[in-house]
Amino acid sequence: SAWLKHISGRALTETEQRALTTGITGSTEGTATDTSGQALYVPTEIQNRIFDLISVKHSLVADVTTLNSNTVIDIPYADNMSEADITDEGSAAENGASLSMGKLTLAGKEFTAWIELTYATRKMALPALENFIVTQLANRIGDKVSKDVVATVKGAVANAGYVKDGMTFADITAMFGELKRNTQTIIYMTRKTLFTQIVSLVGTDGHPLFQLDPTGKAIGHILGAQ
């Protein structure tokens, strides 16, 4: 509440001023402001609300494991491992095991958005002002994160040679055949692709490939996948 009062130009009590300074810097020594004297950092509570709203309003972000970290993360994995052997009972196992390790490096991206508070927004009640800020930032950052995920996946798909125009039933089944070790399949597409290419597809028995979802949790299903 001290931060909201500060950015909307309202007077702070001595206690609120101390809370604002300590909350921004982690100490009582100075504060982090821009040239106009406004606090730069969004409080953690509001940041958490923004991330929660992004996951709710952007289903693509909700289906992707997101790590909020300020450091590069290295994840080791077994790159190559020998298969198990079959031996006779009582016989020693062959000591020919081989193992090489790989490393997946996750380097984060910074997603930013800004809001200019007008005279009218600065006069909002504090709860309304907080909701306005959270909603505006969540919408813009969520859109950008979703677009970045799509661009990254499309780049990987193009490099693997899987890009194809005019999907057929055989293309859909071949695509499912490429999936390995996945427990849930979710298909993302634009509404244009859905209604111009997918809805009209039929299987070998003539029945529509696309089925509407009566529960409303997804638009529909293709071979059981949302």
Side-chain angles (χ1 to χ4, degrees):
S1 58
W3 180 80
L4 290 169
K5 290 179 67 175
H6 177 64
I7 64 171
S8 59
R10 307 178 201 198
L12 275 68
T13 66
E14 182 181 350
T15 301
E16 289 172 335
Q17 183 61 58
R18 287 200 309 268
L20 183 68
T21 303
T22 304
I24 291 176
T25 65
S27 69
T28 56
E29 299 297 327
T31 183
T33 60
D34 63 10
T35 54
S36 63
Q38 296 296 314
L40 288 174
Y41 302 119
V42 178
T44 302
E45 182 177 344
I46 294 182
Q47 289 184 41
N48 291 338
R49 284 196 60 194
I50 292 172
F51 284 120
D52 289 342
L53 188 58
I54 288 174
S55 296
V56 171
K57 299 190 68 173
H58 294 78
S59 57
L60 181 57
V61 178
D63 287 331
V64 174
T65 300
T66 304
L67 303 177
N68 297 321
S69 172
N70 58 356
T71 183
V72 176
I73 300 174
D74 289 331
I75 302 177
Y77 63 91
D79 187 39
N80 184 27
M81 184 182 298
S82 60
E83 296 182 355
D85 289 325
I86 299 176
T87 60
D88 295 330
E89 184 177 2
S91 299
E94 295 291 335
N95 187 18
S98 63
L99 172 65
S100 60
M101 298 298 293
K103 182 176 66 173
L104 175 65
T105 299
L106 301 178
K109 292 185 178 181
E110 297 285 347
F111 293 93
T112 58
W114 62 277
I115 295 176
E116 180 176 348
L117 297 183
T118 64
Y119 176 83
T121 55
R122 287 161 65 101
K123 297 303 179 182
M124 285 182 175
L126 292 185
L129 177 62
E130 181 179 355
N131 287 333
F132 171 78
I133 292 173
V134 168
T135 301
Q136 290 294 322
L137 292 180
N139 286 343
R140 284 185 239 175
I141 294 176
D143 286 343
K144 191 64 177 178
V145 172
S146 296
K147 290 178 180 178
D148 185 66
V149 170
V150 170
T152 301
V153 173
K154 287 179 67 175
V157 169
N159 291 335
Y162 291 134
V163 175
K164 182 178 178 63
D165 294 325
M167 298 295 289
T168 65
F169 176 76
D171 294 325
I172 296 290
T173 55
M175 182 172 62
F176 275 73
E178 294 288 340
L179 302 177
K180 300 177 181 178
R181 299 187 180 90
N182 65 303
T183 58
Q184 184 180 20
T185 302
I186 300 176
I187 304 174
Y188 281 90
M189 68 189 73
T190 64
R191 294 183 67 85
K192 181 178 180 180
T193 299
L194 173 64
F195 288 105
T196 60
Q197 296 190 47
I198 303 301
V199 170
S200 59
L201 286 179
V202 295
T204 54
D205 59 355
H207 283 82
L209 185 63
F210 174 78
Q211 301 291 331
L212 288 172
D213 184 2
T215 66
K217 294 181 179 180
I219 294 179
H221 293 85
I222 301 175
L223 299 178
Q226 293 186 26

